[in-house]
Amino acid sequence: NFVRFRLTGDAYSPLNLKQALENVNANSKTEYDVVPIESEDPDLVLRLTITSSVNSENKVIGHVLLLRDISEERRLTRKLDFQANHDALTGCTNRHYFENELTALVDNLTDSNSTHALCYLDVDQFKVINDTCGHAAGDKLLLDLTTNLNLIVSENDVLSRLGGDEFGLIMKNVDEQEAFNRTKKIHNFFQN
């Protein structure tokens, strides 16, 4: 019973193995990241390497197929990518991610009619909380703030912890009135 595969990232594209074999030239190899169609493991990823086998006249006479489980490598890559772009305490994106997003939006302003809003949030008197109640209380406050801010901001927005008690917010594709209204909600949240 031959296992059927689909290409990773596309739940609807089964790998056409016959076509894949025909596409491998003499003395060459090709690789696909695939998932068995019948697999129930959402993290399972296999690397299928197809290498051609040739005779003395350099004519393809067969193929060698090698399957290697790369699931753990993919999980580690996703984890490292997440850690590189997210704040360890709050889980929201970090300064690095924020700066990249902001740079990309500014670079594309001349090519689009989109408007965006940029907000800077600084928690007043945060040092007092850390000094009087300890860093654990300060961390708890930052977690609570981030959790509640994530309920207020849109899915398309970029909320990032820039450092300490500073946050940046990019509201994408908003006009001035919408940005004002949403900023007012955030201001009211902080006031309460």
Side-chain angles (χ1 to χ4, degrees), residues 57-158:
E57 295 153 4
N58 209 30
K59 181 179 176 185
V60 176
I61 57 170
H63 297 89
V64 175
L65 281 70
L66 175 68
L67 280 172
R68 185 170 62 91
D69 186 348
I70 61 166
S71 305
E72 188 61 26
E73 293 170 34
R74 295 282 287 248
R75 274 191 288 276
L76 288 173
T77 300
R78 279 195 310 270
K79 183 177 179 181
L80 288 173
D81 183 53
F82 183 86
Q83 289 174 340
N85 290 301
H86 290 80
D87 177 61
L89 174 65
T90 63
C92 65
T93 55
N94 60 17
R95 176 185 291 272
H96 170 74
Y97 183 87
F98 185 82
E99 290 174 351
N100 287 340
E101 284 289 309
L102 186 58
T103 300
L105 287 172
V106 169
D107 289 347
N108 291 327
L109 281 178
T110 56
D111 297 335
S112 73
N113 293 327
S114 299
T115 57
H116 314 288
L118 172 64
C119 301
Y120 173 77
L121 308 160
D122 186 1
V123 182
D124 286 342
Q125 304 298 318
F126 184 73
K127 185 176 181 337
V128 173
I129 294 168
N130 274 340
D131 290 347
T132 59
C133 300
H135 289 281
D139 289 351
K140 175 80 169 102
L141 174 64
L142 290 175
L143 281 169
D144 289 347
L145 288 175
T146 305
T147 299
N148 286 295
L149 282 172
N150 277 319
L151 297 174
I152 297 171
V153 301
S154 167
E155 279 185 19
N156 294 330
D157 294 346
V158 176

Side-chain angles (χ1 to χ4, degrees), residues 41-59:
D41 182 354
D43 292 327
L44 177 65
V45 179
L46 303 172
R47 172 133 324 132
L48 171 63
T49 304
I50 304 172
T51 308
S52 64
S53 181
V54 296
N55 62 14
S56 59
E57 295 153 4
N58 209 30
K59 181 179 176 185

Side-chain angles (χ1 to χ4, degrees), residues 1-8 10-18 33-40 44 46 48 65 67:
N1 187 12
F2 186 74
V3 177
R4 296 180 306 139
F5 296 100
R6 66 175 171 78
L7 300 172
T8 57
D10 191 344
Y12 305 105
S13 281
L15 175 68
N16 184 334
L17 189 57
K18 181 179 178 188
D33 289 350
V34 297
V35 177
I37 289 176
E38 294 83 10
S39 174
E40 295 180 17
L44 177 65
L46 303 172
L48 171 63
L65 281 70
L67 280 172

